[in-house]
Amino acid sequence: MSQKKPEKLIDEKDIRYDGRKLNELRPVKIEVGILGNADGSAYIEQGKNRILAAVYGPREIHPKHQALPDRAALRCRYHMAPFSVQERKSPAPSRREVEISKVMREALEPSVFTEYYPRTAIDLFVEVLQADGGTRCAGITVASLALADAGIPMRDLVSACAAGKVEGRIVLDLNDVEDKYSDGADMPMAYMPNLNAITLLQMDGMLTAEEFEQALNLGVEGCKQISQIQKDAVRAKYVTAKETAPEKEEDEGDKEANE
Amino acid sequence: MPIFHERRQLVTPGDLLAENDYMSGENTYKENGKIYATRVGLFDHDEKRIFVVALKSFYLPMVGDTIIGKVQEVTLGGWIVNIRAPYVAMLRASDALERPVRPQRDDLPALFDVGDMMIAKIVACDRTRDPLLTVLERGLGKVTRGQTLEITPTKIPRVIGKKGSMITAIKNETGCQVIIGQNGRIVVSGKTPEDERLAIMAIRMIEQEAHTTGLTDRVTEMLRKEKGEKPVKEVTENVAKET
């Protein structure tokens, strides 16, 4: 899987080098509740990104001095597997990973009712198995689902998505190549669709005020699309629960459903 | 006063459930006159309240709950007990002995040792302190026999059933004693391991099919079927062993 810079990232017909339109997301596939030993978990494939998230808690906090008297401490670890990128990455947390852990925590914390569980910890682990740009956004999306799967009360699901500028055009959901080889901009954002609130907004590169607004609106649209996929993923886990809900008595056969 | 979902419809956190005149019930919150869900669950409502029956949650200690705990540590003045909640509970020696405690003389591990299970009641619990337990009431104390199993605490009401119908059915059909802790731990003790196995099977079945109706009848039916088949199976197995 060697990476070369394509001649052109966007062709004359406004098609990107991987075949997407300017405002098109990469294909997203999400599964909820796939780890037996975690309290909540989820897995996402977004383009070539593959990310696992696991949630434990709320549980007793260790070390004790990290406990907050008025709310739960949300502890987040974003980590990339050594084999997740082209050149082996050292498994030790890098400066970048520590930073992303912090931003992810801050993007998710507004969605969680941490004040319900003072003096406890909610531990969140996001493991990137394969990276292809936009992992922090996919990480937030999947982490939010893992929190919901753990049965932790939340104000809203958080969905995240990037928008940016590639060869002078505003595009949605940049992948690694587009991010690396264009001198444009990359703007990841996280969004709570039902509350219409942005919980993360970062940018590197340069955008004019108009471009910024355009990118922001495009990004929010992307987040809304992802939000729908998130909800479908949660439903898929409980689909039998929903179908057997009506008052009728059911035969055996549709036993599975939730655990 | 609009409602945006049908009863028993699956909702996810953040889903707008209703507006205005309703009160926000379990697993929901109200903001600017709008009620949203906080957990994945099944939507439901009555005349006044909007609520969500969570599909998965964890136990939160409440004063007065009877729970089944596991001793995690024995300290000088009492025990630290795991109650399957975000907080560990304390059982003080004075809440286990009906007389003044003499730390040097009383042998606390003889009462409860690490790993022992106990049926206890929560006597105090708030935001600032860890829950306190007592075992001094009738029906409380050490679990001396039987098997324990764990289920999601949200499904406890289903295991008990309307006016205890489900639990009575299990008890009658299997002849087991079944003690249910509010924290999702259940102790099953019967005359034979086979009886216990049946009771556990029934509880697992309830857990799996908690959302369906007519479950009590189906559980009874399943137990009767299992009981009917079992002797036949055992006989054939024994024959196979002997030959």
Side-chain angles (χ1 to χ4, degrees):
Chain A
M1 254 179 48
S2 72
Q3 234 178 35
K4 262 185 279 168
K5 182 189 188 304
E7 289 271 295
K8 258 188 166 173
L9 289 168
I10 301 175
D11 72 10
E12 317 76 49
K13 286 177 189 155
D14 282 354
I15 298 294
R16 293 198 248 167
Y17 88 105
D18 60 357
R20 283 188 289 159
K21 288 183 224 126
L22 297 182
N23 61 351
E24 195 178 334
L25 289 170
R26 286 172 280 184
V28 181
K29 197 186 120 202
I30 305 178
E31 266 180 79
V32 176
I34 56 162
L35 300 175
N37 287 336
D39 294 326
S41 59
Y43 170 71
I44 188 172
E45 285 179 13
Q46 182 166 10
K48 285 179 195 156
N49 286 324
R50 282 151 188 248
I51 305 172
L52 259 179
V55 169
Y56 299 84
R59 61 181 178 183
E60 243 193 304
I61 193 164
H62 284 293
K64 272 263 146 57
H65 69 83
Q66 283 183 359
L68 302 170
D70 58 338
R71 65 198 144 99
L74 183 63
R75 297 189 290 193
C76 177
R77 184 181 107 126
Y78 165 98
H79 183 249
M80 287 173 94
F83 50 81
S84 63
V85 277
Q86 309 250 335
E87 196 76 16
R88 181 185 186 275
K89 190 205 139 287
S90 156
S94 63
R95 196 216 94 254
R96 175 179 169 275
E97 284 168 290
V98 174
E99 182 195 313
I100 293 182
S101 302
K102 175 186 175 287
V103 226
M104 281 181 71
R105 189 188 74 229
E106 288 171 353
L108 291 164
E109 211 166 8
S111 77
V112 181
F113 284 97
T114 48
E115 62 271 27
Y116 286 5
Y117 311 104
R119 299 177 290 116
T120 61
I122 299 170
D123 290 318
L124 171 61
F125 299 89
V126 175
E127 191 71 22
V128 180
L129 305 177
Q130 189 170 291
D132 187 39
T135 51
R136 81 187 63 191
C137 290
I140 290 169
T141 304
V142 74
S144 180
L145 281 174
L147 285 166
D149 182 46
I152 294 169
M154 301 207 297
R155 272 171 255 268
D156 199 351
L157 290 172
V158 184
S159 31
C161 178
K165 189 166 78 169
V166 174
E167 295 181 343
R169 310 291 296 272
I170 300 297
V171 297
L172 185 67
D173 193 16
L174 285 78
N175 66 20
D176 199 32
V177 174
E178 287 172 325
D179 187 20
K180 239 185 228 160
Y181 299 113
S182 78
D183 314 314
D186 181 21
M187 190 163 86
M189 63 191 87
Y191 179 68
M192 295 197 281
N194 290 309
L195 306 181
N196 192 29
I198 289 175
T199 61
L200 166 87
L201 186 63
Q202 294 184 300
M203 181 172 86
D204 60 23
M206 298 272 261
L207 290 177
T208 64
E210 295 84 67
E211 283 172 334
F212 171 80
E213 201 170 318
Q214 207 189 333
L216 187 71
N217 290 331
L218 187 62
V220 167
E221 280 314 306
C223 290
K224 284 180 182 161
Q225 286 178 41
I226 288 183
S227 158
Q228 196 50 50
I229 303 170
Q230 280 180 307
K231 286 186 180 177
D232 292 344
V234 175
R235 285 220 173 91
K237 185 188 168 188
Y238 293 109
V239 79
T240 34
K242 194 183 160 196
E243 278 164 6
T244 50
E247 313 293 299
K248 273 184 223 148
E249 180 155 350
E250 299 289 333
D251 296 331
E252 284 150 359
D254 18 341
K255 271 186 188 171
E256 358 160 18
N258 44 69
E259 61 238 46
Chain B
M1 30 190 218
I3 291 179
F4 297 106
H5 291 270
E6 281 172 39
R7 294 184 71 180
R8 315 212 75 194
Q9 194 178 349
L10 188 79
V11 292
T12 52
D15 283 358
L16 182 58
L17 302 178
E19 268 172 10
N20 300 330
D21 297 344
Y22 286 98
M23 261 161 50
S24 132
E26 228 171 86
N27 301 320
T28 63
Y29 72 102
K30 198 169 186 177
E31 209 165 88
N32 302 324
K34 291 176 176 168
I35 297 177
Y36 303 91
T38 63
R39 280 198 170 112
V40 179
L42 302 176
F43 173 81
D44 211 340
H45 65 89
D46 51 31
E47 286 90 73
K48 276 190 245 152
R49 269 174 349 110
I50 300 283
F51 56 97
V52 170
V53 182
L55 287 173
K56 198 168 163 191
S57 92
F58 42 85
Y59 176 66
L60 258 197
M62 302 270 262
V63 174
D65 279 1
T66 302
I67 53 95
I68 293 164
K70 191 177 183 183
V71 177
Q72 203 174 309
E73 201 181 324
V74 187
T75 61
L76 275 173
W79 298 266
I80 294 171
V81 185
N82 175 312
I83 55 167
R84 246 184 129 221
Y87 310 97
V88 286
M90 268 288 288
L91 173 64
R92 289 185 302 207
S94 55
D95 291 317
L97 296 159
E98 236 164 319
R99 53 182 169 75
V101 183
R102 295 158 300 175
Q104 267 103 40
R105 304 275 292 282
D106 290 319
D107 184 20
L108 295 189
L111 252 78
F112 295 106
D113 207 347
V114 173
D116 283 353
M117 307 291 281
M118 63 166 80
I119 303 157
K121 203 168 163 185
I122 296 174
V123 284
C125 173
D126 64 31
R127 279 175 71 86
T128 55
R129 267 164 308 177
D130 285 345
L132 274 180
L133 304 176
T134 183
V135 290
L136 282 184
E137 282 169 41
R138 216 178 132 250
L140 306 181
K142 193 155 155 179
V143 176
T144 47
R145 54 195 295 270
Q147 302 182 39
T148 55
L149 69 156
E150 298 188 343
I151 67 169
T152 307
T154 44
K155 287 178 182 157
I156 288 293
R158 208 74 176 91
V159 176
I160 296 169
K162 275 201 191 97
K163 289 179 190 164
S165 59
M166 182 75 84
I167 193 70
T168 330
I170 297 176
K171 280 177 180 168
N172 289 344
E173 290 302 321
T174 63
C176 286
Q177 196 196 3
V178 183
I179 302 159
I180 300 176
Q182 291 295 316
N183 59 341
R185 279 207 186 104
I186 301 176
V187 174
V188 175
S189 60
K191 287 195 189 72
T192 63
E194 175 58 22
D195 288 347
E196 287 174 3
R197 191 189 69 87
L198 276 177
I200 289 171
M201 217 168 108
I203 293 165
R204 288 278 171 233
M205 177 173 164
I206 299 164
E207 193 187 12
Q208 298 265 298
E209 300 175 37
H211 46 78
T212 60
T213 47
L215 193 53
T216 314
D217 296 338
R218 249 179 13 259
V219 168
T220 320
E221 192 186 312
M222 184 276 285
L223 286 173
R224 289 204 177 131
K225 214 170 105 193
E226 278 290 316
K227 274 197 296 190
E229 277 172 8
K230 203 59 204 173
V232 184
K233 243 191 227 165
E234 263 173 11
V235 169
T236 49
E237 271 168 20
N238 289 344
V239 171
K241 268 179 208 159
E242 278 164 18
T243 49

